[in-house]
């Protein structure tokens, strides 16, 4: 399933404004996964910058945003060693060429980059808005479900989107 959300933002202002922000999290502040033998690594870094203002007073405005997120963490396969051996034995006897279940930690997480830029121009009876957005994500083992899943249940993820849009209004 999918969905679309449209958000209308107000047009530019004659005052330059900007913000910088950051969120940082480390495994030193986390508890151990109740189903895992070890704590596992976690590093989460999210930061960004916004800036907007007039290029020509009352006529031409610009806004931009850049954000980066990097989360590196450890997932755990919590299938008991004896159960993993039994499952792997069945796979061996069936001649399966696929990977085997290996209990324990595996790397997961994701890295994203977002860029958004917008320019608004307005005349007496006309408005023009141009916008560009960029989204990039990579993950070595995305969409893992934890608990009883195996590292082979996850999937690698790499996606990049570029979107350009223009709006012209006249009365």
């Amino acid at each position: 399933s999918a969905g679309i959300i449209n958000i209308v933002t107000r047009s530019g202002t004659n005052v330059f404004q900007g913000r910088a922000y950051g969120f940082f999290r480390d495994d030193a502040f986390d508890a151990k996964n109740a189903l895992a033998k070890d704590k596992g690594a976690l590093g989460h870094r999210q930061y960004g910058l916004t800036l907007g203002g007039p290029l020509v007073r009352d006529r031409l405005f610009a806004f931009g945003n850049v954000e980066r997120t990097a989360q590196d963490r450890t997932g755990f396969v919590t299938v008991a060693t004896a159960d993993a051996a039994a499952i792997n034995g069945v796979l061996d006897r069936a001649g399966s060429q696929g990977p085997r279940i290996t209990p324990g930690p595996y790397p997961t997480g994701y890295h994203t980059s977002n860029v958004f830029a917008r320019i608004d121009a307005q005349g007496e009876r006309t408005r023009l808005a141009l916008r560009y957005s960029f989204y990039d994500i990579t993950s070595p083992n995305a969409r893992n479900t934890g608990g009883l899943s195996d590292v082979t249940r996850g999937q690698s993820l790499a996606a990049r989107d570029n979107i350009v849009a223009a709006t012209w209004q006249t009365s």
Side-chain angles (χ1 to χ4, degrees):
S1 65
I4 296 174
I5 299 173
N6 285 325
I7 299 174
V8 178
T9 58
R10 76 180 174 162
S11 187
T13 176
N14 282 317
V15 177
F16 273 101
Q17 297 180 3
R19 291 187 172 87
Y21 52 92
F23 171 79
F24 303 95
R25 180 175 164 193
D26 188 85
D27 56 21
F29 301 105
D30 285 355
K32 181 178 88 61
N33 180 331
L35 299 175
K37 294 178 183 176
D38 300 316
K39 185 173 179 181
L42 169 67
H44 187 108
R45 298 157 310 283
Q46 184 174 358
Y47 46 90
L49 172 71
T50 65
L51 180 64
L55 299 177
V56 176
R57 186 171 180 78
D58 294 327
R59 297 282 184 204
L60 187 62
F61 309 94
F63 175 80
N65 178 65
V66 176
E67 182 173 288
R68 176 86 173 128
T69 302
Q71 184 184 85
D72 299 302
R73 66 182 315 148
T74 302
F76 295 94
V77 176
T78 57
V79 175
T81 304
D83 293 337
I87 293 168
N88 290 337
V90 170
L91 293 172
D92 291 340
R93 287 189 296 281
S96 172
Q97 299 299 312
R100 301 301 187 253
I101 295 177
T102 306
Y106 62 91
T108 187
Y110 60 92
H111 292 206
T112 65
S113 296
N114 293 287
V115 176
F116 176 82
R118 178 177 170 151
I119 294 178
D120 291 310
Q122 59 187 38
E124 293 298 321
R125 302 179 69 195
T126 304
R127 286 186 171 197
L128 174 66
L130 301 171
R131 73 173 193 251
Y132 169 75
S133 52
F134 168 81
Y135 176 71
D136 183 69
I137 183 168
T138 57
S139 177
N141 199 350
R143 296 181 175 92
N144 57 64
T145 56
L148 299 177
S149 70
D150 180 52
V151 66
T152 60
R153 169 62 182 93
Q155 51 186 284
S156 176
L157 174 65
R160 179 172 287 168
D161 294 324
N162 287 280
I163 300 171
V164 176
T167 304
W168 179 47
Q169 298 173 328
T170 187
S171 58

